[in-house]
Amino acid sequence: QTGGLEHAEDYYAWIHQFRTKVVNERPGYREEAVRLMISGERPVVKLVRNPYDRAVSSYLHTLRGADGRRENDWARKLIASARMYRGLNPEPGDALSFRDFLVYLSHRRCDIALVNTHVAYQFLRAESGKVTRLLKLERLLDDIRALEADYGLPQAPASLFESHHHRRRIAAARQELA
């Protein structure tokens, strides 16, 4: 909607890099975002995911992130802490069940300050009463089209909402659990 898609795609193949390294780091961005959210000048739209699908995905994402091949060690730390919380050996090698993972996150309250954003609560207390509209990942294109119609926005290309990196992982996870 801002006309910057081509620039974002040229910046780096992984679109999240543009968001974290360019958009979020722009001087005054965070302050302006908070001001707009508090003032109500602009509608606040939030993308959410089915909590059950998200729990399974978060567990699998954490396990993949702890495999030692990634530079971020948040997943290894989370798994070690969860193992210790359950009275298990924190060293890699001991399995962490899905149940133990959820019990630990419940204990940590999934606070975004304490766990990675992939496993933190989707709801933040600071957002209470501020979010104008929820878009559901499971029906994202339909929700985006309704949002565009309601606000008179041009239609974004449908391909923009096809997250192939997530779709493959979700399908694989569902097969593993079946």
Side-chain angles (χ1 to χ4, degrees):
Q1 294 297 333
T2 64
L5 179 59
E6 189 173 312
H7 175 60
E9 290 175 330
D10 288 344
Y11 179 80
Y12 197 83
W14 186 246
I15 196 76
H16 298 302
Q17 288 294 323
F18 183 79
R19 178 180 45 84
T20 60
K21 304 289 186 200
V22 176
V23 175
N24 291 0
E25 296 301 321
R26 192 175 62 230
Y29 169 78
R30 293 181 202 287
E31 294 81 6
E32 181 68 1
V34 169
R35 186 189 72 71
L36 288 171
M37 182 180 268
I38 291 170
S39 73
E41 279 179 52
R42 303 266 175 87
V44 177
V45 178
K46 183 171 182 160
L47 178 64
V48 295
R49 184 172 185 194
N50 175 297
Y52 299 107
D53 287 344
R54 189 169 184 268
V56 171
S57 177
S58 295
Y59 173 67
L60 295 173
H61 183 74
T62 301
L63 293 180
R64 274 192 296 278
D67 65 9
R69 288 181 265 157
R70 298 183 186 214
E71 60 189 51
N72 295 333
D73 64 350
W74 68 268
R76 285 187 296 280
K77 288 179 181 176
L78 190 151
I79 289 174
S81 294
R83 285 179 178 141
M84 288 188 336
Y85 180 74
R86 300 296 291 160
L88 303 170
N89 179 356
E91 296 304 315
D94 280 0
L96 180 69
S97 72
F98 180 59
R99 182 181 185 286
D100 287 346
F101 175 76
L102 293 179
V103 166
Y104 177 72
L105 289 181
S106 177
H107 163 72
R108 292 301 291 227
R109 309 251 332 122
C110 298
D111 187 327
I112 200 162
L114 303 173
V115 297
N116 182 278
T117 57
H118 289 93
V119 298
Y121 285 141
Q122 292 185 91
F123 170 78
L124 301 174
R125 201 171 289 150
E127 298 171 340
S128 187
K130 308 288 188 239
V131 175
T132 312
R133 189 177 209 145
L134 293 176
L135 305 182
K136 296 188 177 180
L137 182 64
E138 295 77 18
R139 62 171 199 237
L140 183 58
L141 185 57
D142 291 339
D143 284 358
I144 288 290
R145 292 297 181 240
L147 183 73
E148 291 166 339
D150 290 349
Y151 290 99
L153 301 170
Q155 275 198 356
S159 61
L160 194 61
F161 307 102
E162 295 173 4
S163 177
H164 300 291
H165 68 281
H166 286 117
R167 185 164 291 125
R168 283 192 306 266
R169 290 178 184 164
I170 291 167
R174 285 193 171 135
Q175 267 194 330
E176 285 177 28
L177 294 174

